[in-house]
Amino acid sequence: MRIIALVAILAMPFLAKAQCVTDSIMPIRGLSIAAPQAKSCDRFVAFIEKELAPRGVNTLILRVDYNYAYKTHPELRNDTTLTEKDVKKIVGVCKKNGIKIVPQINLLGHQSWASKEERLLKVYPQFDETPWVKMPEKYDWPNSDGLYCKSYCPLHPDVHKIVFELIDELTEVFEANDFHAGLDEVFYLGEEKCPRCAGRDKAELFAGEVNLIRNHLAQKNRKLWMWGDRLIDGQQTGMGMWEASMNCTHRAIDLIAKDIFICDWHYERPDKTAIYFAMKGFNVATCVWNKHEVSMLQTQDIIKFRKESSPAMQERFKGIVVTFWGSAESMVDNFDKSAEPDREPTKAFLNVFDYVKRLSKP
């Protein structure tokens, strides 16, 4: 046992050196994924241990939303939720492997999906920014209501007390210093029929909501993470309404706090908007998805930006986050050789982290 311990001690400087090299090339090596179902929690914990940690993943953005057994607002729980015991299993394996957890609740936008309202608007319909837009039995896009996802009204006097209690409970149970608020693809904002928002500047409305969430987190020394699409001018860049804003929220980039962490996602092309966010003073990670060729170009770009920029700019290009938009269970299945699901997102994940790992060899 003494020999084994001695070998471990002697190996520590080399392990630390390898970690340092990896961090200098790409400080954040992340995965954004939905939280697992309770029945799959143990399997997900094993996946973190066996697949994520060995590949150098050090950040896990976990989209929890209403899939936790909240004590502050049990009325907002989904039918099947993670318990505190489940969460502590995930926290434990992440701590063991040096992985930061950033729990997420979609705020402002994404309060519905397809024909279904999410729990917040279902339980508290008075928070709906567009109550006159009814959820269709069969969802199609495009549609006459311009319905993609519902939003809550950021000026409703009662919404933030509830939202902030959810944030506090979730960050505490995950022992997290950072929180991801989503804030992406907000199409309903400042609507003419809204008695509170009508006639207001949409950029100011958006910035107000972002700063309000940021300031609440800052009271307990926590940081806000968000998607960056609403801060990009969709018309001037030609990026359109999905990966950028076509309803004038982009001007909010000059109205929000600079310590907000931006997750800059582009999936069809390796658009280089990370430079834009860094020049505006934000820390930024490029977020990739299922096109592994595009993902590789984006990974090479962020490394190049860090290498060839001024010292101040270098430190703002934080790394890569691979996003996965299926269930946690389906991604775990993609690593199970007995299963045959769509492996394209997994291919992008493997290529990105295998590439960074090769570059990181001391």
Side-chain angles (χ1 to χ4, degrees):
M1 290 297 292
R2 290 179 180 177
I3 294 175
I4 293 174
L6 179 61
V7 170
I9 292 170
L10 292 173
M12 285 178 67
F14 298 98
L15 293 173
K17 182 179 180 182
Q19 183 70 25
C20 182
V21 171
T22 303
D23 288 350
S24 66
I25 293 172
M26 188 171 290
I28 289 182
R29 304 175 299 281
L31 173 66
S32 172
I33 191 170
Q37 297 180 20
K39 64 183 180 182
S40 306
C41 185
D42 289 343
R43 191 171 173 228
F44 186 70
V45 167
F47 171 71
I48 294 171
E49 182 82 62
K50 296 176 182 178
E51 303 292 352
L52 300 190
R55 289 183 169 85
V57 173
N58 65 6
T59 304
L60 182 63
I61 301 173
L62 207 57
R63 300 191 303 272
V64 180
D65 292 319
Y66 306 104
N67 296 316
Y68 173 65
Y70 293 103
K71 297 175 183 177
T72 53
H73 288 282
E75 75 277 12
L76 294 178
R77 299 175 183 176
N78 280 335
D79 293 338
T80 303
T81 60
L82 292 171
T83 65
E84 182 176 354
K85 183 178 179 180
D86 295 326
V87 167
K88 292 307 181 184
K89 291 178 182 178
I90 298 172
V91 171
V93 72
C94 286
K95 276 187 176 181
K96 174 185 174 184
N97 291 285
I99 298 174
K100 172 203 286 281
I101 301 177
V102 185
Q104 177 180 338
I105 303 173
N106 276 320
L107 297 183
L108 191 56
H110 278 279
Q111 300 305 313
S112 69
W113 183 250
S115 298
K116 178 184 176 183
E117 288 177 323
E118 297 291 355
R119 293 295 298 176
L120 185 66
L121 295 191
K122 192 169 184 179
V123 176
Y124 298 103
Q126 65 270 32
F127 296 161
D128 193 343
E129 173 73 4
T130 54
W132 58 88
V133 175
K134 304 304 179 183
M135 300 305 297
E137 290 185 12
K138 181 181 179 182
Y139 179 82
D140 290 306
W141 178 268
N143 57 72
S144 60
D145 288 319
L147 172 63
Y148 173 56
C149 294
K150 288 252 188 180
S151 303
Y152 64 70
C153 174
L155 298 184
H156 194 286
D158 301 323
V159 69
H160 292 105
K161 179 181 184 299
I162 293 172
V163 165
F164 290 165
E165 286 170 348
L166 295 179
I167 291 173
D168 290 346
E169 183 173 357
L170 199 65
T171 49
E172 285 167 13
V173 73
F174 274 100
E175 303 174 33
N177 295 319
D178 302 81
F179 170 79
H180 200 303
L183 297 163
D184 60 318
E185 298 177 331
V186 179
F187 295 166
Y188 286 151
L189 182 67
E191 296 296 311
E192 292 181 1
K193 294 182 182 180
C194 178
R196 295 165 294 272
C197 297
R200 293 180 179 262
D201 184 295
K202 294 187 180 184
E204 292 181 1
L205 279 173
F206 187 75
E209 181 67 7
V210 171
N211 284 330
L212 198 64
I213 298 166
R214 177 264 173 202
N215 293 343
H216 176 78
L217 289 164
Q219 291 175 9
K220 295 187 178 180
N221 296 315
R222 295 180 176 128
K223 297 289 187 182
L224 172 62
W225 291 37
M226 63 180 286
W227 304 114
D229 53 286
R230 298 304 95 188
L231 302 174
I232 300 170
D233 187 335
Q235 184 172 355
Q236 291 297 321
T237 62
M239 293 180 185
M241 65 188 293
W242 302 101
E243 297 187 18
S245 171
M246 296 291 282
N247 62 352
C248 299
T249 61
H250 60 276
R251 291 183 288 102
I253 196 168
D254 294 319
L255 304 174
I256 63 175
K258 299 299 183 183
D259 60 1
I260 296 168
F261 190 95
I262 304 296
C263 295
D264 178 38
W265 65 272
H266 298 289
Y267 299 150
E268 300 298 322
R269 300 178 309 272
D271 290 310
K272 296 171 174 54
T273 45
I275 296 173
Y276 174 65
F277 288 112
M279 290 184 71
K280 287 289 188 177
F282 296 94
N283 287 345
V284 59
T286 293
C287 300
V288 306
W289 184 26
N290 60 341
K291 293 190 174 182
H292 66 273
E293 295 91 350
V294 175
S295 300
M296 286 305 301
L297 290 172
Q298 291 169 303
T299 303
Q300 291 163 2
D301 276 345
I302 206 76
I303 293 171
K304 181 182 176 71
F305 298 159
R306 284 183 59 79
K307 183 178 180 181
E308 298 180 1
S309 300
S310 67
M313 289 282 286
Q314 284 175 355
E315 288 307 307
R316 296 176 192 153
F317 298 112
K318 291 300 184 183
I320 286 284
V321 174
V322 177
T323 63
F324 187 82
W325 296 104
S327 65
E329 289 76 15
S330 64
M331 186 166 192
V332 175
D333 285 342
N334 284 349
F335 283 82
D336 182 354
K337 293 181 180 179
S338 65
E340 295 183 4
D342 175 17
R343 289 185 58 85
E344 192 67 16
T346 306
K347 187 175 182 181
F349 171 87
L350 293 172
N351 284 353
V352 165
F353 289 113
D354 288 350
Y355 177 74
V356 174
K357 192 172 184 179
R358 288 197 302 272
L359 290 181
S360 301
K361 289 182 179 178

